[in-house]
């Protein structure tokens, strides 16, 4: 798979996750498999595509469809060393979603607390 195909695959996986029906066991299983594949993509990004891979992947921070920007923010922060500007943008996206009143917001509030504790 080339870089473009890899980025498109990642976007497809976020679409799968966005369509998860948590009352359906097979849908949840598909969601979990998709998340695992997203981590595999991020973990191999630099090895396969070098710095250009990171630059192209960071562009996903601009893609709001299917919460691609949220997934990319988490994966970039957890797995890669970013330039300060990209790190700030990823954290801004996560902080914004953590302000809501749903379960996603609550989850990201905890994620941010863990992130901030780790960074100190």
């Amino acid at each position: 798979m080339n870089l473009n195909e890899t980025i498109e695959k990642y976007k497809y996986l976020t679409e799968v996750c966005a369509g998860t029906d948590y009352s359906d066991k097979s849908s949840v299983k598909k969601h979990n498999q998709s998340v695992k594949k997203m981590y595999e993509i991020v973990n191999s990004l630099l090895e396969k595509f070098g710095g250009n891979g990171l630059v192209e992947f960071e562009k996903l921070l601009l893609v709001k469809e299917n919460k691609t920007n949220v997934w990319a923010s988490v994966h970039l922060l957890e797995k890669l060393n970013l330039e300060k500007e990209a790190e700030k943008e990823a954290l801004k996206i996560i902080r914004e979603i953590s302000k809501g009143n749903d379960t996603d917001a609550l989850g990201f509030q905890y994620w941010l607390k863990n992130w901030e504790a780790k960074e100190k």
Side-chain angles (χ1 to χ4, degrees), residues 16-29 31:
V16 170
C17 290
T20 301
D21 175 0
Y22 289 99
S23 67
D24 177 2
K25 191 175 182 177
S26 66
S27 181
V28 171
K29 183 176 181 179
H31 170 93

Side-chain angles (χ1 to χ4, degrees), residues 32-78:
N32 292 340
Q33 290 169 339
S34 295
V35 172
K36 181 180 177 187
K37 288 176 186 172
M38 282 190 276
Y39 272 109
E40 289 171 2
I41 288 171
V42 173
N43 286 335
S44 68
L45 197 62
L46 287 175
E47 180 183 316
K48 287 185 178 178
F49 306 109
N52 189 45
L54 179 59
V55 168
E56 290 302 310
F57 192 82
E58 286 176 355
K59 291 178 182 177
L60 293 177
L61 295 175
L62 302 173
V63 179
K64 293 182 179 182
E65 187 177 16
N66 300 316
K67 296 184 180 177
T68 299
N69 60 340
V70 177
W71 285 106
S73 294
V74 169
H75 293 146
L76 283 165
L77 290 165
E78 287 181 350

Side-chain angles (χ1 to χ4, degrees), residues 97-109:
I97 200 166
S98 74
K99 292 177 184 175
N101 292 321
D102 58 8
T103 54
D104 282 347
L106 183 61
F108 282 108
Q109 289 167 17

Side-chain angles (χ1 to χ4, degrees), residues 74-97:
V74 169
H75 293 146
L76 283 165
L77 290 165
E78 287 181 350
K79 298 296 180 184
L80 300 168
N81 291 323
L82 304 175
E83 298 289 328
K84 282 294 174 193
E85 283 304 309
E87 182 178 309
K88 282 172 34 178
E89 183 60 28
L91 285 168
K92 177 181 164 190
I93 291 166
I94 293 171
R95 284 188 178 106
E96 190 61 36
I97 200 166

